[in-house]
């Protein structure tokens, strides 16, 4: 009989968001009259901007004519999109990234998981705790960990706490690690990293021959001009970092699917024999073998994010969600609740009242206020006693959610 990948059995019951979905579905089935407001998973709610829709439609129209029809595209993405990304996301900030170092894909969740395939299974992995659960789960699936303890920490991973005690600035690992996941603006805490803080990590990676896997999926939400948008704004990062970006939260593409990964040609890792190999070629090999590219109309839609009409429309969308985040933050603060984030990110990280556990608070909020958030402990042991609220919803729902929240905890 075929055998399963035993590492999957080490995973905790279910992926965080489906588990929340299951609890909410059960509650809704038992309470059909309840008007539940969901500020749990960070899924966008507002329509795609008109310039994007127009480019999307135009892309579809081209497929309707034999002369403009396209079949397989380049796996790494069409040049028009890679060049638009290079120019607008990187060159405009004085950052050196070449268009052929950009790999267009269908999502950062997939890319942050898939990237592990090009690294040896004996690499030591460091993650900041709390963390986007995909980084941990994909390492468990790949066999890089032992079992988890009762707090959900897996043996073999190096956890670096980011808590109120260190103002959410994680310390450098005390031991040498090979791979480090960093996510800024941070999911789940909504906090950002300064240039100096990122420079410490780049310096560590250069000294220790480590690779930083930098998730910048929320960079478009940065409002503070001093905060870097890309790890490559830090000198020397091109030699040690891979960066992930996404159109999901930037332009409302969670259902459309388009993202990108930057693998500079200068970033290297070694063979067991000690030979230094560029990761660009390995990722290109993996990408072209296992992926057939993002569809043409979707890439045209993504290109429109950078057009003269698209730019202000996308900015308005981000401003809309950032205003939601501000309303949540200020509304909760006014009730004496301690909150973090939400200024340069679409997430507000809330201290649960009276040290209530994250899941108890989740259940209480769902039952008494018909409100859904994400329990902080779902992001790691250091998230216990916290709760994440997402700013992705209509204004009306956000305002109502804040009223309900204040009634429960005020
Ligand atoms: C989240 O809520 O953390 C994100 O929406 C999950 C994701 O982007 O996959």
């Amino acid at each position: 009989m075929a055998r399963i990948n035993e590492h999957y059995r080490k995973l905790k019951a279910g992926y965080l968001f489906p588990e929340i979905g299951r609890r909410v579905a059960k509650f809704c089935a038992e309470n059909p009259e309840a008007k539940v407001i969901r500020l749990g998973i960070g899924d966008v709610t507002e329509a795609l901007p008109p310039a994007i829709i127009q480019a999307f439609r135009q892309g579809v129209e081209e497929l309707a004519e034999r002369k403009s029809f396209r079949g397989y595209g380049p796996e790494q993405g069409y040049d028009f999109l890679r060049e638009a990304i290079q120019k607008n996301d990187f060159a405009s900030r004085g950052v050196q990234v070449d268009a052929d170092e950009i790999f267009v894909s269908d999502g950062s969740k997939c890319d942050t998981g898939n990237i592990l395939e090009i690294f040896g299974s004996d690499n030591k992995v460091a993650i900041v705790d709390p963390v986007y659960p995909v980084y941990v789960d994909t390492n468990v699936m790949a066999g890089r960990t032992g079992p988890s303890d009762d707090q959900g920490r897996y043996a073999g991973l190096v956890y670096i706490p980011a808590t109120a005690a260190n103002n959410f600035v994680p310390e450098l690992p005390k031991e040498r690690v090979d791979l480090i996941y960093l996510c800024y603006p941070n999911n789940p805490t909504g906090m950002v990293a300064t240039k100096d803080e990122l420079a410490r990590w780049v310096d560590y990676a250069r000294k220790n021959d480590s690779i930083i896997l930098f998730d910048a999926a929320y960079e478009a939400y940065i409002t503070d001009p001093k905060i870097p948008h890309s790890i490559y704004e830090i000198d020397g990062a091109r030699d040690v970092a891979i960066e992930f970006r996404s159109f999901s939260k930037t332009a409302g593409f969670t259902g459309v699917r388009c993202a990108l990964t930057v693998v500079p040609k200068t970033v290297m890792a070694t063979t067991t024999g000690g030979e230094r190999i560029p990761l660009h070629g390995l990722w290109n090999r993996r990408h072209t073998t296992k992926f057939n590219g993002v569809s043409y109309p979707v890439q045209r839609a993504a290109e429109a994010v950078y057009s003269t009409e698209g730019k202000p429309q996308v900015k308005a969308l981000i401003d809309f969600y950032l205003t939601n985040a501000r309303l949540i933050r200020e509304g909760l603060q006014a009730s004496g609740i301690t909150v973090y984030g939400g200024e340069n990110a679409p997430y507000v990280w809330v201290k649960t009242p009276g040290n209530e556990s994250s899941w108890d608070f989740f259940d209480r909020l769902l039952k008494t206020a018909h409100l859904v958030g994400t329990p902080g402990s779902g992001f790691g042991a250091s998230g216990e006693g916290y709760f994440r609220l997402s700013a992705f919803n209509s204004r009306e729902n956000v305002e109502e959610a804040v009223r309900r929240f204040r009634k429960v905890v005020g």
Side-chain angles (χ1 to χ4, degrees):
M1 187 178 278
R3 283 192 304 277
I4 64 158
N5 175 351
E6 287 287 344
H7 301 302
Y8 275 63
R9 288 166 46 98
K10 296 177 202 157
L11 292 164
K12 285 190 286 148
Y15 181 55
L16 176 62
F17 295 109
E19 171 58 21
I20 292 171
R22 194 188 60 72
R23 290 194 192 206
V24 175
K26 181 168 178 291
F27 176 80
C28 290
E30 288 164 5
N31 302 274
E33 75 299 340
K35 285 201 170 50
V36 172
I37 298 179
R38 291 171 168 80
L39 303 180
I41 189 166
D43 192 6
V44 293
T45 54
E46 304 310 297
L48 289 173
I52 293 177
I53 288 293
Q54 199 189 340
F56 207 164
R57 283 203 178 112
Q58 176 61 35
V60 174
E61 289 301 331
E62 286 179 44
L63 300 183
E65 302 275 340
R66 195 171 194 289
K67 62 178 183 342
S68 50
F69 173 78
R70 291 163 192 252
Y72 290 128
E75 292 93 340
Q76 302 90 338
Y78 284 101
D79 285 346
F80 64 77
L81 180 56
R82 297 172 95 189
E83 282 160 14
I85 293 167
Q86 187 271 335
K87 184 165 154 239
N88 292 281
D89 283 351
F90 298 107
S92 69
R93 297 191 62 80
V95 171
Q96 190 207 334
V97 164
D98 297 336
D100 64 356
E101 295 176 326
I102 296 168
F103 294 83
V104 175
S105 76
D106 61 348
S108 287
K109 180 181 182 177
C110 328
D111 284 355
T112 53
N114 291 334
I115 198 79
L116 292 175
E117 285 188 28
I118 64 169
F119 292 103
S121 55
D122 52 355
N123 278 302
K124 190 101 184 146
V125 178
I127 53 147
V128 175
D129 177 17
V131 76
Y132 180 42
V134 170
Y135 311 153
V136 173
D137 287 4
T138 51
N139 273 289
V140 176
M141 290 169 174
R144 272 196 199 85
T145 74
S148 67
D149 64 17
D150 48 12
Q151 286 185 300
R153 287 199 167 107
Y154 288 91
L157 292 182
V158 175
Y159 288 89
I160 314 170
T163 61
N166 58 17
N167 201 26
F168 300 94
V169 180
E171 283 177 21
L172 297 174
K174 299 210 177 1
E175 57 196 290
R176 204 204 142 262
V177 297
D178 300 295
L179 302 179
I180 305 156
Y181 289 88
L182 294 178
C183 173
Y184 289 108
N186 188 258
N187 179 13
T189 64
M191 301 295 272
V192 285
T194 63
K195 211 164 182 177
D196 285 350
E197 283 156 17
L198 288 184
R200 271 187 327 130
W201 285 103
V202 169
D203 190 44
Y204 172 93
R206 292 180 68 85
K207 283 194 182 121
N208 288 282
D209 248 338
S210 320
I211 302 288
I212 297 172
L213 302 173
F214 190 77
D215 186 346
Y218 298 94
E219 61 77 31
Y221 288 82
I222 295 174
T223 53
D224 181 340
K226 293 189 297 300
I227 299 296
H229 288 235
S230 166
I231 188 82
Y232 305 122
E233 289 178 45
I234 311 301
D235 285 344
R238 273 184 62 80
D239 298 334
V240 291
I242 291 175
E243 181 163 304
F244 305 92
R245 287 193 176 205
S246 170
F247 293 94
S248 284
K249 316 296 160 85
T250 302
F253 274 49
T254 54
V256 176
R257 309 307 310 152
C258 197
L260 60 120
T261 290
V262 179
V263 187
K265 290 189 214 100
T266 40
V267 67
M268 307 268 182
T270 59
T271 63
T272 37
E275 188 191 348
R276 295 177 77 78
I277 302 276
L279 291 175
H280 183 274
L282 294 190
W283 184 244
N284 190 52
R285 185 71 171 83
R286 192 261 167 216
H287 201 73
T288 50
T289 303
K290 293 199 173 181
F291 188 61
N292 260 336
V294 172
S295 81
Y296 174 72
V298 167
Q299 292 195 55
R300 281 294 183 198
E303 182 193 24
V305 167
Y306 305 107
S307 71
T308 313
E309 302 76 34
K311 274 183 188 171
Q313 294 171 9
V314 165
K315 182 172 181 315
L317 193 59
I318 289 164
D319 287 347
F320 174 82
Y321 291 126
L322 278 171
T323 301
N324 282 351
R326 180 175 58 74
L327 292 172
I328 297 171
R329 207 179 64 238
E330 292 177 356
L332 269 54
Q333 273 170 339
S335 285
I337 305 283
T338 304
V339 299
Y340 303 91
E343 282 172 284
N344 294 285
Y347 297 124
V348 179
W349 190 237
V350 181
K351 183 80 198 81
T352 59
N355 282 330
E356 194 168 350
S357 87
S358 300
W359 275 109
D360 284 353
F361 189 60
F362 172 89
D363 287 332
R364 181 157 76 95
L365 214 54
L366 178 59
K367 283 188 190 125
T368 58
H370 305 166
L371 265 185
V372 181
T374 308
S377 56
F379 297 102
S382 297
E384 182 53 277
Y386 287 90
F387 197 72
R388 193 194 74 177
L389 290 174
S390 140
F392 295 114
N393 215 312
S394 66
R395 182 62 41 78
E396 192 191 351
N397 276 350
V398 163
E399 286 171 346
E400 173 61 13
V402 171
R403 274 193 291 275
R404 291 190 200 172
F405 198 102
R406 292 176 64 164
K407 249 197 215 155
V408 171
V409 300

